[in-house]
Amino acid sequence: MRVFALWISALLVAAAPFTQAQAQTFPTASVRIVVPFSPGGTSDALTRQIGQQLAEIWKQPVIVENRPGAGGGVGAGAVARSAPDGLTLFMGSSAPLVVRPNLYSKLPYDAQKDFAPISFVANVQNLLVVNPSLGVSSLAELIALAKSRKTPLNFASNGPGSSPHMAAELFMAMAGVEMRHVPYKGSAPAMTDLIGGQVDLMFDNLPTALPMARSGRVRAIAVTGATRSPLAADIPTVAEAGLPGYDVTVWYGMLAPTGTPAATVSKISADLAQVLANTKLRDQLIELGTEPASMTPAQFTAFMGVEREKWGRIIREAKIAVE
């Protein structure tokens, strides 16, 4: 047994420099980044801009593949089943990685076991908007109206378990109000009905909701992040407008299939940090409505753990069920 153990140890020692060498030359072929949503959205645009920069560093093509469906579950499942060689990556987000695992008992992937976290990439704030006919212009007025009505206000979302849905659930829990959820198949039809007065309010991604607010078709009340958005510095946060501690963003991060060599994961993370530190790219991503930032694999793992616990608690306390 001792000879066998020594033999295994020798193999591991011999293999370590090879793994490091592989990481230094990574990638030796084209890299595929799976986006679990349709083309044209924030995650798609974000991934394509970052992919172009990574391709320049790696001297290899970076292909963005859209695999929409099941709130990000189709794309997540595809990456989870891919070879752990670093050549297939996942632009994950809060919905499939920390929200849906708390909502669904069965998913085509295990968010904690099937992925190797690489780095946080960016977040996007939501914007709380109301129909102007509601007659409120501040968070305090909205909360007061919600508490005074005999029938609940209706809020729209782009689907059960989405960030706008969760933003509203946290708002109700912290404000002590009840509202009725009206889910839609996407933010566009939800916004159309908000403008038309079929629903009273909604939380929507800032980049898509802000133009509607600036045009006067809806009224902006507050942004959902911890700090004001560079795109809308005149709009207060929910926290400063009356609900201290409120903080909801849609965040995006890069992951690889579990089993991807640690040295490869570390190299991709370092390369991503280099890309996200590029001033020109950062400006482009901010104009897109995102707030870019990088993390080490360990930091990103810890961040997702906190987010998973946070949304699990909110979902349990609000008794949210979508199955």
Side-chain angles (χ1 to χ4, degrees):
M1 289 295 294
R2 185 172 183 276
V3 172
F4 178 75
L6 290 172
W7 177 65
I8 291 295
S9 298
L11 283 178
L12 290 174
V13 170
F18 178 70
T19 302
Q20 293 289 341
Q22 280 185 318
Q24 293 303 315
T25 58
F26 173 88
T28 55
S30 62
V31 175
R32 177 178 61 133
I33 304 178
V34 174
V35 174
F37 301 106
S38 301
T42 301
S43 59
D44 179 65
L46 173 72
T47 306
R48 291 182 187 279
Q49 292 198 36
I50 290 174
Q52 290 176 0
Q53 299 297 316
L54 288 173
E56 292 182 12
I57 293 175
W58 292 341
K59 310 302 181 185
Q60 292 287 351
V62 173
I63 301 164
V64 176
E65 180 180 327
N66 298 91
R67 296 289 294 271
V74 172
V79 175
R81 296 186 296 271
S82 298
D85 53 12
L87 299 179
T88 298
L89 304 175
F90 181 47
M91 183 58 83
S93 66
S94 45
L97 291 173
V98 299
V99 175
R100 288 176 63 82
N102 280 301
L103 282 172
Y104 295 88
S105 58
K106 294 182 180 179
L107 290 171
Y109 61 93
D110 186 314
Q112 292 181 259
K113 296 180 180 179
D114 290 345
F115 301 104
I118 295 173
S119 177
F120 182 95
V121 172
N123 64 20
V124 178
Q125 296 205 42
N126 289 310
L127 178 64
L128 170 56
V129 290
V130 302
N131 186 288
S133 66
L134 206 59
V136 301
S137 56
S138 70
L139 191 75
E141 291 177 356
L142 176 62
I143 293 173
L145 177 63
K147 288 183 176 181
S148 67
R149 283 173 58 110
K150 293 182 179 179
T151 57
L153 293 171
N154 296 323
F155 75 91
S157 84
N158 59 343
S162 64
S163 176
H165 177 203
M166 294 296 102
E169 293 288 353
L170 182 59
F171 169 75
M172 288 190 289
M174 294 182 67
V177 300
E178 291 186 10
M179 301 190 297
R180 187 170 70 91
H181 182 208
V182 183
Y184 289 78
K185 294 181 179 180
S187 61
M191 180 61 74
T192 297
D193 274 8
L194 175 61
I195 293 171
Q198 281 74 39
V199 291
D200 300 309
L201 62 110
M202 71 180 291
F203 290 81
D204 194 16
N205 284 176
L206 180 68
T208 55
L210 188 59
M212 300 299 176
R214 297 300 193 209
S215 71
R217 283 176 280 184
V218 297
R219 181 171 295 158
I221 300 297
V223 294
T224 62
T227 60
R228 296 194 182 198
S229 167
L231 289 182
D234 58 319
I235 301 175
T237 66
V238 172
E240 67 180 302
L243 295 179
Y246 184 99
D247 181 14
V248 179
T249 61
V250 184
W251 53 261
Y252 302 95
M254 194 81 77
L255 303 95
T258 290
T260 301
T264 299
V265 169
S266 295
K267 183 179 188 303
I268 298 172
S269 183
D271 291 341
L272 264 173
Q274 179 182 336
V275 165
L276 293 170
N278 181 286
T279 302
K280 183 178 180 181
L281 178 65
R282 289 183 63 84
D283 290 343
Q284 291 173 344
L285 296 181
I286 290 171
E287 288 178 8
L288 186 64
T290 73
E291 300 174 21
S294 63
M295 293 181 183
T296 66
Q299 289 171 334
F300 187 34
T301 299
F303 169 82
M304 286 196 294
V306 171
E307 284 282 290
R308 189 178 300 111
E309 181 180 348
K310 168 186 173 179
W311 289 112
R313 183 180 67 255
I314 292 169
I315 289 167
R316 289 191 302 273
E317 291 176 353
K319 298 180 181 179
I320 303 169
V322 296
E323 292 184 292

